[in-house]
């Protein structure tokens, strides 16, 4: 199993599944959520609405899966990160849950290659350095990580990219 850190637009990554930093409504938004819905097309939103009708949306730390519409990946795993407001411990666990639950859901769908954005570090203001440590730690601690061929951290901005590269090299 390889862990990679790249700087790219996640909507252009050709893997089995890309992970979306969604919100609890699953109805789209800005940031990476907006990019995925914009480029993926209406099929993604239609499947998200069907999930909403079934289970009422997605709780923070949880994950749901849809096809990927016009995107190069096969699936999109939508997970909802915590909004940072300083109460470190609870939010730390919820952010780690995003990565672990997305990986669990990926294995349930025979997904072998998966790409994550830097969840919660944009509109949700999670400090990038803390989020990077949590993300890498959560993936490293995931007991069944060897069942994946590749796990990619896709950083959109330079700050996240250098944080992840430094953590990966240590
Ligand atoms: N590819 C990869 N990463 C991206 C892309 C992209 N195309 N666009 C943005 N990002 C990065 C941001 O730079 C940030 O580092 O994704 C990370 C997460 O930022 P947001 O997309 O703002 O997500 P988040 O902070 O988790 O906030 C989620 O924002 O878009 C809304 O509906 C979403 O309400 C939810 C909230």
């Amino acid at each position: 199993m390889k862990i990679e850190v790249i700087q790219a637009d996640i909507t252009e990554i050709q893997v089995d599944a890309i992970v979306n930093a969604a919100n609890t409504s699953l109805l789209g938004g800005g940031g990476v959520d907006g990019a995925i819905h914009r480029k993926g097309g209406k099929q993604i939103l239609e499947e998200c609405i069907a999930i909403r009708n079934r289970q009422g949306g997605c709780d923070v730390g949880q994950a749901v899966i849809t096809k990927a519409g016009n995107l190069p990946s096969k699936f999109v795993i939508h997970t909802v990160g915590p909004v940072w407001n300083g109460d470190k411990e609870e939010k730390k666990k919820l952010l780690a849950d995003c990565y672990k639950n997305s990986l669990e859901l990926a294995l349930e769908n025979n997904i072998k290659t998966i790409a994550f954005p830097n969840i919660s570090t944009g509109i949700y203001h999670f400090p990038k350095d803390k989020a990077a440590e949590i993300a890498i730690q959560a993936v490293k601690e995931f007991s069944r990580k060897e069942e994946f061929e590749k796990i990619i951290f896709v950083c959109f901005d330079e700050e996240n990219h250098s944080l992840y590269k430094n953590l990966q090299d240590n």
Side-chain angles (χ1 to χ4, degrees):
M1 188 273 299
K2 268 185 75 183
I3 293 183
E4 281 183 16
V5 174
I6 63 172
Q7 185 166 2
D9 175 342
I10 200 166
T11 63
E12 293 168 5
I13 304 297
Q14 189 142 10
V15 284
D16 292 342
I18 62 170
V19 177
N20 180 24
N23 60 57
T24 52
S25 78
L26 293 176
L27 295 177
V32 68
D33 197 8
I36 286 172
H37 279 278
R38 200 167 40 253
K39 293 197 183 174
K42 66 178 174 34
Q43 180 192 14
I44 297 176
L45 183 60
E46 284 165 359
E47 289 192 38
C48 283
I49 290 170
I51 293 168
R52 254 176 83 81
N53 294 340
R54 271 201 312 274
Q55 65 178 56
C58 182
D59 291 337
V60 177
Q62 298 302 310
V64 297
I65 189 167
T66 67
K67 293 274 188 329
N70 307 320
L71 294 171
S73 62
K74 296 188 194 109
F75 296 98
V76 178
I77 290 176
H78 307 262
T79 190
V80 181
V83 178
W84 179 256
N85 51 16
D87 52 346
K88 193 164 175 275
E89 282 322 303
E90 186 237 342
K91 299 298 169 89
K92 240 178 100 170
K93 181 191 172 309
L94 285 169
L95 184 58
D97 287 350
C98 286
Y99 289 88
K100 292 175 184 170
N101 288 325
S102 295
L103 292 171
E104 279 295 348
L105 190 52
L107 290 179
E108 287 167 22
N109 289 274
N110 297 317
I111 287 161
K112 299 293 180 195
T113 57
I114 185 167
F116 284 98
N118 312 130
I119 299 165
S120 282
T121 66
I123 294 167
Y124 283 179
H125 298 301
F126 208 107
K128 293 182 179 178
D129 55 343
K130 289 184 175 64
E133 282 169 31
I134 292 164
I136 290 181
Q137 185 73 14
V139 169
K140 280 185 176 165
E141 282 173 2
F142 186 71
S143 57
R144 298 171 61 195
K145 61 180 175 294
E146 294 308 328
E147 295 180 40
F148 289 96
E149 286 164 22
K150 192 164 18 171
I151 298 176
I152 308 175
F153 289 107
V154 180
C155 305
F156 201 53
D157 57 86
E158 184 43 48
E159 184 186 359
N160 266 312
H161 189 231
S162 55
L163 281 166
Y164 275 76
K165 289 302 274 183
N166 292 338
L167 285 169
Q168 188 190 35
D169 298 344
N170 295 335

